[in-house]
Amino acid sequence: MNMSFASVFLLLLSPAAGFMHSSAPSFGRAPTALYAEVTVALIKELREATGAGMMDCKKALLETDGDIDEATDFLRTKGLAKADKKASRVAAEGKIAFASDASSKAVMVEINCETDFVARDSSFLEFTDSVANAALSLDGDNLDDLLASDIGGSSVEETRQALVAKIGENIQVRRFAGRGGEGSTVGGYVHMNRIGVMVELEGGSEQVAADVAMHVAAMNPAFAVAEEVPEEVLNRERKVLTDQALESGKPKEIVDKMIEGRIRKYLQEICLVTQTYVKTNDKTVGKYLEENGAKMKGFTRIVVGEGIEKKEDNFAEEVAKMASGGK
């Protein structure tokens, strides 16, 4: 049997729904005298404002004598308990949000959820963009400072908890990073909401920085310039290459000369400025920067969910457990 939207609301308001009986509310307070004033319009307004279910909206309005603001707070409070339970679930999907301002400062924020479906939800996307804009006003990368920042009259953390209650998934503001400021040029690129890169230059333009950021997203260099490579990384690579060459039977004096050439090639491969620029394939990134009056200062690359261990369900084990009565 099909029922219209209005019919569902009328059914909710009817005595048969169980809310007109004196024992209906189970919130620990006496029945309100305003039951009749909890109208379809009020329920609809609260549902649209909070995203909560119709029955929950009805109960919240009864509990708060039909006050929309108090009912909203009531649902948010109820939602916090749900959010706490959901916080233990793995949130490895999500979005990288990028924001910049006129002072050449830019930030990226990683916000996680449980499924790629929610990662495309308009409320989730709006939240991520708002958090990125809030991060622009901060110095440093202290996550607690970001969570306490204001967005739309509530803190980031309060807004996050309300979103958990509305969407029904664990949502976490995981990390953020900033670059730039006076004397710098920063450009960013976010690929499919999942890989975010900021490139900071001396000179050049935002477009040049964004072009190089696209290269970083694709090629994932370990370092910006050779000077950043730690000595222990070079020593480890040098030892591996030396052992390989000696095992081939080559004399040590020849091996020593070979190794230095291979180390130079290794540095070219792992450092951004010496990689072949992917958009043209006819010059290095360093040469591209030079042609555009820019010099590399550094980059930041963030990937959604990196380092988070995803839960892998084993269907065979689940079936076996059910067959054995859960033992």
Side-chain angles (χ1 to χ4, degrees), residues 305-324:
E306 61 184 347
I308 298 177
E309 184 177 352
K310 295 185 179 182
K311 180 181 178 181
E312 299 291 340
D313 294 324
N314 188 314
F315 182 70
E317 288 184 2
E318 289 288 329
V319 172
K321 186 175 181 180
M322 292 174 64
S324 63

Side-chain angles (χ1 to χ4, degrees), residues 113-131:
C113 57
E114 295 179 50
T115 64
D116 57 356
F117 177 78
V118 167
R120 299 190 300 270
D121 178 82
S122 59
S123 297
F124 177 81
L125 296 175
E126 182 180 348
F127 174 66
T128 59
D129 291 339
S130 296
V131 174

